[in-house]
Amino acid sequence: MKNLNGYIEIFGHDFHIGTVLGVIFWGGFHFLNILFMPIVVFLAILTTGIGLLMGYAYQKTRSLLITIIIHNTIFGTQLTIGYILYLLLKL
């Protein structure tokens, strides 16, 4: 963000150009899951949206802690529930 200047308005909020580029890269990287999951387009759009939320949170707070909490709440919870259900159904 230090090397790039400018902001883009999305949904009425000003996002730093570095945040937007990072979100596009992050969402595109998740598109690689097409090799493993058929619903990858939905997941790529979802992760891009969540990335925008986390990027905005970092932009406002300048703290990675809030982005870590958001990420673990969203993805850690569903993975934990999935693993528990898998283990219960496997028994």
Side-chain angles (χ1 to χ4, degrees), residues 4-65:
L4 299 171
N5 294 323
Y7 288 84
I8 297 174
E9 186 176 329
I10 301 173
F11 303 121
H13 299 282
D14 289 329
F15 288 87
H16 189 276
I17 190 72
T19 301
V20 174
L21 291 174
V23 166
I24 291 169
F25 176 77
W26 195 63
F29 184 75
H30 282 80
F31 194 74
L32 293 175
N33 290 332
I34 197 165
L35 302 172
F36 307 107
M37 291 180 271
I39 60 168
V40 73
V41 174
F42 170 73
L43 293 177
I45 293 169
L46 179 67
T47 55
T48 302
I50 293 169
L52 201 58
L53 170 71
M54 291 191 301
Y56 189 73
Y58 173 76
Q59 184 178 305
K60 288 299 183 184
T61 64
R62 295 286 190 225
S63 171
L64 285 177
L65 181 60

Side-chain angles (χ1 to χ4, degrees), residues 61-82:
T61 64
R62 295 286 190 225
S63 171
L64 285 177
L65 181 60
I66 190 70
T67 60
I68 292 169
I69 291 169
I70 293 170
H71 186 272
N72 289 338
T73 300
I74 293 170
F75 296 108
T77 303
Q78 73 180 18
L79 286 174
T80 302
I81 291 170

Side-chain angles (χ1 to χ4, degrees), residues 75-90:
F75 296 108
T77 303
Q78 73 180 18
L79 286 174
T80 302
I81 291 170
Y83 288 134
I84 291 170
L85 289 175
Y86 173 77
L87 290 174
L88 289 175
L89 295 175
K90 190 175 177 182

